[in-house]
Amino acid sequence: MGHMPAAGTWQACPQCGEHHHRLEWAPWQICPSCGYYQRLTAQQRLTQLVDQGTFQPLPDLAMTAATTGFPDYAAKLATAQTKTGLAEAIVVGQAAIDQQVCVIGIMDSHFMMGSLNQVVGQKICQLFEVGSQRQLPVVLVTASGGARMQEGLAALTQMSLTLAAKSAFDAQGGFSINVLTDPTMGGVTASFALQADILLAEPAATIGFAGRRVIEQTDQVQLPADFQSAEQLLTRGMLDAVVPRAQLKAQLAQLLRLGGKSA
Amino acid sequence: MMQDALKKIRGAHWLSSDAVIQQLWPDFFRLKGDRLVADDPALTVGFGQFEGQTCLVAGVNRGQTLTERQTYRGGAVAPTGYRKFSRGLKLAMKRHWPVITLINMPGADASLAAEKQGQSQAIAAAIQLMGQLTVPNIAVFLGEGESGGALALANSNRVFMYQHSLFSVASPEAMQAILKRPVGEVDQLLPITAQALQQQGLVDAVLPDTDANTMVAALKTQLQTALMQLADQTPLQLQQQRLTKFQQLQTLV
């Protein structure tokens, strides 16, 4: 069957349904027909943002959360690991962005919707700790549905533990930039995602606390399509900038040049 | 079992934060408003004297009558409420007042208005401030507390829970919907009850659910002891102790 295109060569746009060849999606994974931004894997994001060959993973914490409590959780986790090739829903390391060295974390929504569990939380703490130790700014690209239900309160309290790590980083005079991507929701938005010095977002990213259906239930209203969009948040004063994907690296580099130098 | 507990703590006649405040802080002054948008009646924030010492107290109001329940959104705290709370916390730090929170709520307000007024940011700021508080803080679960909305009031040096109260990542109903497990099963899969969380080391005391007077008296005794224990702690010790306390929940291997 050598004449058949390899799987994934043609991709339908989740927004407009048009099929496009992978070369048409490249390099930014934006739909040529409607401008829809594909959700990137951590690897794709790294390739787009950091200087080639500069990414050095942080020391592996080699931790896993006990999965005995919740039925089917261990299997779900294993599936996510196989599917993404990642150990958890975040990748952390040191890298250069247009020669500006920083510590960087990238969440991956393809791994159980980027949900915040104990390992993800502790890796975010590590990001801030290493940022302090090495006196480097922290860049965090968020993508998450919120706290991971299967780990219960231990996942929820990562909200306060990551914020404590952020406070310690701030007390050392650290500089941090968050890039909010689609989707950034729930316990992640209500903790570390919105507490950076500079908040950037990708166009049309959905960013909010409660999900659309929950709000429609609470208020018994139909919400407009752009509700909780990055653009809406910008007009309400919740973000500093909405940055197109092709300009994100340059924008980060500028901010790191201006704010990232330790005094 | 679980349904019975929920019925009890959500009932109109359950011990309310207002009733606790009236008995333990009779000379209470209520702060109003977040100085930005509005006052949130779902969260009482104010200060009063307990055993001769002024405390900052925040209590969630679920409401008893239908009108009250509508006004208070059943205890779903709005961004204006969290910002009023943060305002109170800053005052407490400046004046060296301990902070007591009284929790019985379904989670934070999930409405259009709440999103527009920055619910996520308001909660994040409150959680962070509670963690960094330079004065002791004590959280009291009168009933249920769920999601980041409850964590903002619970990130404390001491956690007390009444016997039938719950502390969970999401409401049992939401967990049922997301994880497709019956409501009655959720407490067997994850530690969310007062007893289970005491075993995990998060909860310092489980208080008996009896009549209102006995319940408040038991709380009074626990508060006296805890405030005395925490009085000599330095700000750094208090901050570190909160971290260590919540790290106990981790099941990392």
Side-chain angles (χ1 to χ4, degrees):
Chain A
M1 302 285 275
H3 61 286
M4 295 295 281
T9 299
W10 291 86
Q11 247 185 337
C13 173
Q15 184 167 276
C16 70
E18 288 291 318
H19 285 71
H20 290 283
H21 191 271
R22 62 181 168 79
L23 292 178
E24 291 180 279
W25 282 101
W28 305 112
Q29 309 305 320
I30 297 171
C31 175
S33 297
C34 71
Y36 173 80
Y37 277 42
Q38 289 266 27
R39 290 173 178 176
L40 299 185
T41 65
Q43 187 53 54
Q44 286 173 319
R45 182 70 69 181
L46 268 182
T47 308
Q48 290 189 8
L49 288 186
V50 312
D51 300 348
Q52 206 183 347
T54 62
F55 182 78
Q56 299 286 338
L58 296 189
D60 193 359
L61 297 175
M63 293 187 305
T64 49
T67 54
T68 45
F70 216 90
D72 311 330
Y73 179 36
K76 266 198 181 135
L77 206 53
T79 307
Q81 285 166 339
T82 312
K83 189 180 96 180
T84 59
L86 302 175
E88 256 303 338
I90 189 168
V91 170
V92 291
Q94 180 179 319
I97 296 176
D98 195 15
Q99 298 171 44
Q100 305 297 312
V101 182
C102 63
V103 184
I104 187 166
I106 298 176
M107 300 181 82
D108 193 327
S109 64
H110 301 84
F111 193 109
M112 294 190 78
M113 201 37 86
S115 50
L116 174 66
N117 78 332
Q118 302 173 63
V119 177
V120 173
Q122 290 309 297
K123 286 195 174 198
I124 288 167
C125 293
Q126 186 191 19
L127 208 59
F128 288 120
E129 282 154 21
V130 173
S132 287
Q133 283 159 14
R134 301 184 189 172
Q135 298 208 316
L136 290 172
V138 168
V139 174
L140 181 53
V141 183
T142 65
S144 178
R148 193 174 298 171
M149 297 288 149
Q150 288 90 343
E151 289 185 31
L153 213 49
L156 184 78
T157 51
Q158 295 303 319
M159 293 172 71
S160 52
L161 297 177
T162 52
L163 284 172
K166 174 67 170 56
S167 299
F169 175 77
D170 286 341
Q172 300 290 314
F175 181 61
S176 66
I177 308 167
N178 280 0
V179 181
L180 312 177
T181 74
D182 190 59
T184 297
M185 298 297 293
V188 166
T189 318
S191 61
F192 57 86
L194 292 190
Q195 294 300 80
D197 297 314
I198 308 294
L199 295 178
L200 309 178
E202 282 203 322
T206 300
I207 302 156
F209 178 65
R212 168 180 289 268
R213 265 177 307 169
V214 175
I215 297 169
E216 283 178 340
Q217 258 178 22
T218 309
D219 281 353
Q220 303 289 319
V221 288
Q222 276 275 302
L223 298 169
D226 66 349
F227 172 69
Q228 293 180 323
S229 70
E231 291 78 3
Q232 279 288 312
L233 265 75
L234 182 69
T235 63
R236 291 203 299 270
M238 304 288 176
L239 303 174
D240 294 297
V242 176
V243 185
R245 198 170 271 176
Q247 289 155 33
L248 192 53
K249 182 174 181 176
Q251 179 62 85
L252 285 173
Q254 184 209 13
L255 285 167
L256 292 170
R257 262 197 316 276
L258 294 173
K261 293 268 186 322
S262 48
Chain B
M1 177 87 181
M2 182 72 155
Q3 276 91 342
D4 291 345
L6 288 174
K7 211 171 153 185
K8 200 169 176 176
I9 59 184
R10 290 171 181 173
H13 302 295
W14 192 241
L15 182 64
S16 69
S17 61
D18 255 359
V20 175
I21 290 170
Q22 270 171 31
Q23 288 197 50
L24 296 186
W25 293 275
D27 64 343
F28 197 69
F29 179 83
R30 275 161 211 269
L31 299 174
K32 286 283 174 77
D34 66 348
R35 299 291 188 265
L36 279 169
V37 179
D39 180 61
D40 180 9
L43 188 69
T44 297
V45 181
F47 48 92
Q49 281 203 348
F50 178 81
E51 311 273 295
Q53 178 179 32
T54 304
C55 307
L56 191 283
V57 184
V60 183
N61 302 307
R62 284 194 97 121
Q64 292 181 322
T65 63
L66 181 63
T67 318
E68 279 178 0
R69 293 227 158 179
Q70 284 169 339
T71 312
Y72 302 152
R73 296 175 304 275
V77 177
T80 47
Y82 289 110
R83 295 202 167 105
K84 174 169 65 176
F85 179 51
S86 288
R87 180 161 84 86
L89 293 178
K90 286 173 194 158
L91 176 60
M93 282 204 274
K94 205 168 65 162
R95 300 304 304 149
H96 305 286
W97 298 340
V99 173
I100 321 284
T101 56
L102 306 168
I103 302 163
N104 187 5
M105 62 188 296
D109 183 24
S111 71
L112 183 61
E115 293 287 325
K116 283 191 167 173
Q117 292 167 7
Q119 183 65 291
S120 308
Q121 204 280 333
I123 293 172
I127 296 176
Q128 192 166 12
L129 200 52
M130 279 286 270
Q132 294 307 301
L133 223 54
T134 52
V135 291
N137 55 354
I138 301 171
V140 183
F141 281 74
L142 302 177
E144 64 187 321
E146 285 116 6
S147 95
L151 183 61
L153 298 169
N155 190 11
S156 300
N157 295 113
R158 293 284 186 277
V159 178
F160 301 148
M161 288 178 84
Y162 282 98
Q163 204 176 331
H164 286 93
S165 50
L166 306 170
F167 185 14
S168 171
V169 61
S171 72
E173 290 81 2
M175 306 218 5
Q176 174 191 29
I178 297 165
L179 299 167
K180 301 181 178 62
R181 296 272 158 186
V183 167
E185 226 182 74
V186 173
D187 63 333
Q188 279 146 51
L189 301 175
L190 290 166
I192 62 172
T193 61
Q195 291 77 9
L197 292 169
Q198 187 178 37
Q199 275 169 25
Q200 298 243 312
L202 183 77
V203 169
D204 299 281
V206 178
L207 307 175
D209 290 351
T210 43
D211 62 291
N213 284 336
T214 319
M215 285 169 77
V216 176
L219 176 58
K220 186 176 179 177
T221 311
Q222 290 291 343
L223 286 178
Q224 284 167 334
T225 312
L227 287 173
M228 209 137 67
Q229 287 168 348
L230 293 167
D232 305 331
Q233 303 275 301
T234 65
L236 205 64
Q237 283 173 324
L238 292 168
Q239 291 164 353
Q240 187 55 48
Q241 198 262 331
R242 278 175 212 123
L243 262 184
T244 314
K245 182 175 191 58
F246 283 82
Q247 279 165 346
Q248 288 181 98
L249 286 174
Q250 293 187 153
T251 57
L252 292 165
V253 285

PDB file of all heavy atoms in Angstrom, chain A residues 7 15 30 52 60 74 91 100 117 124 126 171 173 204 214-215 234 258:
ATOM      1  N   ALA A   7      -0.590   7.901   7.560  1.00  0.00           N
ATOM      2  CA  ALA A   7      -1.620   8.412   8.474  1.00  0.00           C
ATOM      3  C   ALA A   7      -1.185   9.784   8.989  1.00  0.00           C
ATOM      4  O   ALA A   7      -0.024   9.992   9.315  1.00  0.00           O
ATOM      5  CB  ALA A   7      -1.808   7.445   9.634  1.00  0.00           C
ATOM      6  N   GLN A  15     -12.176  23.069  13.614  1.00  0.00           N
ATOM      7  CA  GLN A  15     -13.115  24.196  13.615  1.00  0.00           C
ATOM      8  C   GLN A  15     -13.957  24.255  12.345  1.00  0.00           C
ATOM      9  O   GLN A  15     -15.171  24.295  12.408  1.00  0.00           O
ATOM     10  CB  GLN A  15     -12.359  25.505  13.808  1.00  0.00           C
ATOM     11  CG  GLN A  15     -13.270  26.729  13.927  1.00  0.00           C
ATOM     12  CD  GLN A  15     -12.520  27.942  14.429  1.00  0.00           C
ATOM     13  OE1 GLN A  15     -12.328  28.136  15.613  1.00  0.00           O
ATOM     14  NE2 GLN A  15     -12.068  28.771  13.495  1.00  0.00           N
ATOM     15  N   ILE A  30      -1.518  26.102  11.968  1.00  0.00           N
ATOM     16  CA  ILE A  30      -2.675  26.993  11.888  1.00  0.00           C
ATOM     17  C   ILE A  30      -3.446  26.632  10.625  1.00  0.00           C
ATOM     18  O   ILE A  30      -2.843  26.449   9.556  1.00  0.00           O
ATOM     19  CB  ILE A  30      -2.232  28.476  11.852  1.00  0.00           C
ATOM     20  CG1 ILE A  30      -1.502  28.831  13.154  1.00  0.00           C
ATOM     21  CG2 ILE A  30      -3.417  29.407  11.624  1.00  0.00           C
ATOM     22  CD1 ILE A  30      -0.845  30.201  13.144  1.00  0.00           C
ATOM     23  N   GLN A  52      17.334  25.978  18.682  1.00  0.00           N
ATOM     24  CA  GLN A  52      17.608  24.569  18.432  1.00  0.00           C
ATOM     25  C   GLN A  52      18.794  24.069  19.260  1.00  0.00           C
ATOM     26  O   GLN A  52      19.830  24.726  19.328  1.00  0.00           O
ATOM     27  CB  GLN A  52      17.905  24.368  16.949  1.00  0.00           C
ATOM     28  CG  GLN A  52      17.595  22.959  16.487  1.00  0.00           C
ATOM     29  CD  GLN A  52      17.953  22.749  15.029  1.00  0.00           C
ATOM     30  OE1 GLN A  52      18.212  23.702  14.300  1.00  0.00           O
ATOM     31  NE2 GLN A  52      17.974  21.502  14.620  1.00  0.00           N
ATOM     32  N   ASP A  60      15.253  14.946  36.574  1.00  0.00           N
ATOM     33  CA  ASP A  60      13.976  14.244  36.685  1.00  0.00           C
ATOM     34  C   ASP A  60      13.652  13.994  38.151  1.00  0.00           C
ATOM     35  O   ASP A  60      14.479  13.479  38.895  1.00  0.00           O
ATOM     36  CB  ASP A  60      14.066  12.906  35.939  1.00  0.00           C
ATOM     37  CG  ASP A  60      12.692  12.300  35.756  1.00  0.00           C
ATOM     38  OD1 ASP A  60      11.705  12.913  36.228  1.00  0.00           O
ATOM     39  OD2 ASP A  60      12.598  11.232  35.143  1.00  0.00           O
ATOM     40  N   ALA A  74      -4.845   4.054  36.680  1.00  0.00           N
ATOM     41  CA  ALA A  74      -3.522   3.570  36.263  1.00  0.00           C
ATOM     42  C   ALA A  74      -3.496   3.281  34.760  1.00  0.00           C
ATOM     43  O   ALA A  74      -2.551   3.647  34.050  1.00  0.00           O
ATOM     44  CB  ALA A  74      -3.147   2.323  37.055  1.00  0.00           C
ATOM     45  N   VAL A  91       6.469  19.383  30.506  1.00  0.00           N
ATOM     46  CA  VAL A  91       7.895  19.206  30.231  1.00  0.00           C
ATOM     47  C   VAL A  91       8.600  20.423  30.821  1.00  0.00           C
ATOM     48  O   VAL A  91       8.148  21.554  30.611  1.00  0.00           O
ATOM     49  CB  VAL A  91       8.129  19.141  28.701  1.00  0.00           C
ATOM     50  CG1 VAL A  91       9.599  19.210  28.367  1.00  0.00           C
ATOM     51  CG2 VAL A  91       7.509  17.871  28.132  1.00  0.00           C
ATOM     52  N   GLN A 100      18.206  34.273  24.797  1.00  0.00           N
ATOM     53  CA  GLN A 100      17.885  34.677  26.161  1.00  0.00           C
ATOM     54  C   GLN A 100      17.620  33.405  26.971  1.00  0.00           C
ATOM     55  O   GLN A 100      16.646  32.704  26.732  1.00  0.00           O
ATOM     56  CB  GLN A 100      16.642  35.574  26.183  1.00  0.00           C
ATOM     57  CG  GLN A 100      16.731  36.795  25.291  1.00  0.00           C
ATOM     58  CD  GLN A 100      17.845  37.726  25.718  1.00  0.00           C
ATOM     59  OE1 GLN A 100      17.969  38.054  26.902  1.00  0.00           O
ATOM     60  NE2 GLN A 100      18.677  38.131  24.763  1.00  0.00           N
ATOM     61  N   ASN A 117      -1.908  17.408  38.295  1.00  0.00           N
ATOM     62  CA  ASN A 117      -1.870  16.386  39.343  1.00  0.00           C
ATOM     63  C   ASN A 117      -0.655  16.667  40.225  1.00  0.00           C
ATOM     64  O   ASN A 117      -0.027  17.724  40.113  1.00  0.00           O
ATOM     65  CB  ASN A 117      -1.825  14.972  38.726  1.00  0.00           C
ATOM     66  CG  ASN A 117      -0.436  14.606  38.229  1.00  0.00           C
ATOM     67  OD1 ASN A 117       0.353  15.470  37.848  1.00  0.00           O
ATOM     68  ND2 ASN A 117      -0.131  13.319  38.232  1.00  0.00           N
ATOM     69  N   ILE A 124       6.156  22.092  38.494  1.00  0.00           N
ATOM     70  CA  ILE A 124       6.026  23.552  38.417  1.00  0.00           C
ATOM     71  C   ILE A 124       6.761  24.195  39.597  1.00  0.00           C
ATOM     72  O   ILE A 124       7.448  25.207  39.440  1.00  0.00           O
ATOM     73  CB  ILE A 124       4.539  23.951  38.335  1.00  0.00           C
ATOM     74  CG1 ILE A 124       4.017  23.575  36.942  1.00  0.00           C
ATOM     75  CG2 ILE A 124       4.350  25.438  38.590  1.00  0.00           C
ATOM     76  CD1 ILE A 124       2.532  23.607  36.797  1.00  0.00           C
ATOM     77  N   GLN A 126       9.358  22.915  40.980  1.00  0.00           N
ATOM     78  CA  GLN A 126      10.772  22.752  40.609  1.00  0.00           C
ATOM     79  C   GLN A 126      11.222  23.878  39.661  1.00  0.00           C
ATOM     80  O   GLN A 126      12.321  24.417  39.797  1.00  0.00           O
ATOM     81  CB  GLN A 126      10.965  21.391  39.938  1.00  0.00           C
ATOM     82  CG  GLN A 126      12.417  21.052  39.627  1.00  0.00           C
ATOM     83  CD  GLN A 126      12.555  19.829  38.720  1.00  0.00           C
ATOM     84  OE1 GLN A 126      11.610  19.432  38.041  1.00  0.00           O
ATOM     85  NE2 GLN A 126      13.735  19.235  38.718  1.00  0.00           N
ATOM     86  N   ALA A 171       9.925  36.453  46.004  1.00  0.00           N
ATOM     87  CA  ALA A 171      10.672  37.062  47.113  1.00  0.00           C
ATOM     88  C   ALA A 171      12.154  37.200  46.765  1.00  0.00           C
ATOM     89  O   ALA A 171      12.840  38.061  47.299  1.00  0.00           O
ATOM     90  CB  ALA A 171      10.495  36.225  48.381  1.00  0.00           C
ATOM     91  N   GLY A 173      13.085  38.063  43.861  1.00  0.00           N
ATOM     92  CA  GLY A 173      13.138  39.018  42.759  1.00  0.00           C
ATOM     93  C   GLY A 173      13.008  38.394  41.384  1.00  0.00           C
ATOM     94  O   GLY A 173      13.402  38.995  40.382  1.00  0.00           O
ATOM     95  N   ALA A 204      -7.682  33.470  20.392  1.00  0.00           N
ATOM     96  CA  ALA A 204      -8.842  32.581  20.499  1.00  0.00           C
ATOM     97  C   ALA A 204      -8.715  31.489  21.561  1.00  0.00           C
ATOM     98  O   ALA A 204      -9.591  30.636  21.678  1.00  0.00           O
ATOM     99  CB  ALA A 204      -9.185  31.948  19.151  1.00  0.00           C
ATOM    100  N   VAL A 214     -21.254  24.586  32.514  1.00  0.00           N
ATOM    101  CA  VAL A 214     -21.570  24.837  33.921  1.00  0.00           C
ATOM    102  C   VAL A 214     -22.172  26.229  34.082  1.00  0.00           C
ATOM    103  O   VAL A 214     -23.167  26.421  34.781  1.00  0.00           O
ATOM    104  CB  VAL A 214     -20.295  24.685  34.797  1.00  0.00           C
ATOM    105  CG1 VAL A 214     -20.586  25.059  36.238  1.00  0.00           C
ATOM    106  CG2 VAL A 214     -19.757  23.273  34.709  1.00  0.00           C
ATOM    107  N   ILE A 215     -21.583  27.210  33.393  1.00  0.00           N
ATOM    108  CA  ILE A 215     -22.075  28.588  33.497  1.00  0.00           C
ATOM    109  C   ILE A 215     -23.461  28.708  32.870  1.00  0.00           C
ATOM    110  O   ILE A 215     -24.350  29.353  33.421  1.00  0.00           O
ATOM    111  CB  ILE A 215     -21.089  29.569  32.839  1.00  0.00           C
ATOM    112  CG1 ILE A 215     -19.759  29.535  33.588  1.00  0.00           C
ATOM    113  CG2 ILE A 215     -21.655  30.982  32.817  1.00  0.00           C
ATOM    114  CD1 ILE A 215     -18.642  30.249  32.892  1.00  0.00           C
ATOM    115  N   LEU A 234      -8.464  40.164  27.292  1.00  0.00           N
ATOM    116  CA  LEU A 234      -7.601  41.332  27.070  1.00  0.00           C
ATOM    117  C   LEU A 234      -8.399  42.625  27.252  1.00  0.00           C
ATOM    118  O   LEU A 234      -7.948  43.554  27.920  1.00  0.00           O
ATOM    119  CB  LEU A 234      -6.984  41.265  25.668  1.00  0.00           C
ATOM    120  CG  LEU A 234      -6.015  42.402  25.321  1.00  0.00           C
ATOM    121  CD1 LEU A 234      -4.735  42.300  26.148  1.00  0.00           C
ATOM    122  CD2 LEU A 234      -5.672  42.387  23.836  1.00  0.00           C
ATOM    123  N   LEU A 258      14.277  42.515  28.181  1.00  0.00           N
ATOM    124  CA  LEU A 258      13.959  43.697  28.990  1.00  0.00           C
ATOM    125  C   LEU A 258      13.878  43.383  30.476  1.00  0.00           C
ATOM    126  O   LEU A 258      14.349  44.136  31.316  1.00  0.00           O
ATOM    127  CB  LEU A 258      12.618  44.296  28.541  1.00  0.00           C
ATOM    128  CG  LEU A 258      12.565  44.885  27.144  1.00  0.00           C
ATOM    129  CD1 LEU A 258      11.136  45.275  26.795  1.00  0.00           C
ATOM    130  CD2 LEU A 258      13.480  46.109  27.066  1.00  0.00           C
TER     131      LEU A 258
END
